[in-house]
Amino acid sequence: MKSERNAVYLESQAGFTLVELLVVLIILGLVASIAGPNVLKYLGSSKSKTSQLQIKEMESSLELYFLDTGQYPTTAQGLELLVKKEGSVPGWNGPYFKKGELPLDPWGNPYHYRSPGEHGPFDLYSLGADNQPGGEGDGKDVTNWKS
C-alpha cells in the first residue's frame, strides 16, 4: 500500500521543462527591457528632488545662523561655518546640522554657496550630475532660487 502511494506521489511531482523555463526567462527579459528605462528616469529625477530637499535644509540652517549672529556667512567663510566655529563669531550657537557635517549633493559633490548672492541674500546650488553650470536632465543645476 505504501509503495502505491509513493508511486502516485512521484508521478504527481512534475517539474518544469526547459522550454517552459526559457519562455519565462524571455518574458522576464521583455518586461525588464520595457520597464528598465522608466526606472532609470525616475532614479535621476529622485536625485534632483533629494538635492532640492537638502538645499531647503541648508537654507533653514542658514536662517538659524542668521538669527543667532545677525548675518549670513560670507562666500569666503562658506558653509563650513555652519558646522565649525571659526574665530570669534558673536552669537554662534552651532553646529547647525544634526550630524555636524555638511552634506554632499546626491552626485557626491559639495554644494556651492555665494553670499551676498545674485538672487537673494545667498545663493545655494548644486551643478547636477555633470558638475558643470547649466545642463539638461540629470545635469541640470538645482538652486535655491527660481530660474
Side-chain angles (χ1 to χ4, degrees), residues 42-61:
Y42 287 117
L43 178 64
S45 69
S46 69
K47 285 188 175 185
S48 294
K49 289 177 184 175
T50 300
S51 180
Q52 192 65 49
L53 289 172
Q54 286 178 328
I55 285 173
K56 290 204 180 297
E57 179 185 4
M58 284 191 274
E59 280 182 315
S60 297
S61 296

Side-chain angles (χ1 to χ4, degrees), residues 51-121:
S51 180
Q52 192 65 49
L53 289 172
Q54 286 178 328
I55 285 173
K56 290 204 180 297
E57 179 185 4
M58 284 191 274
E59 280 182 315
S60 297
S61 296
L62 284 163
E63 295 300 333
L64 286 173
Y65 177 89
F66 180 81
L67 288 173
D68 288 344
T69 65
Q71 61 188 4
Y72 294 106
T74 64
T75 303
Q77 292 169 319
L79 294 171
E80 285 295 322
L81 204 52
L82 297 175
V83 293
K84 185 178 177 185
K85 185 177 182 180
E86 293 178 9
S88 61
V89 178
W92 192 88
N93 195 21
Y96 294 90
F97 285 97
K98 288 181 184 177
K99 294 181 182 178
E101 61 185 37
L102 291 172
L104 296 175
D105 71 11
W107 300 279
N109 301 310
Y111 283 94
H112 299 268
Y113 173 75
R114 183 173 44 223
S115 178
E118 295 175 9
H119 305 279

Side-chain angles (χ1 to χ4, degrees), residues 3-51:
S3 62
E4 289 176 27
R5 283 188 199 161
N6 287 340
V8 170
Y9 177 73
L10 291 175
E11 287 177 18
S12 66
Q13 280 192 335
F16 294 107
T17 66
L18 182 60
V19 172
E20 290 170 330
L21 289 174
L22 287 174
V23 168
V24 169
L25 288 174
I26 289 170
I27 291 171
L28 289 174
L30 287 172
V31 169
S33 69
I34 292 170
N38 289 331
V39 170
L40 293 176
K41 180 178 75 172
Y42 287 117
L43 178 64
S45 69
S46 69
K47 285 188 175 185
S48 294
K49 289 177 184 175
T50 300
S51 180

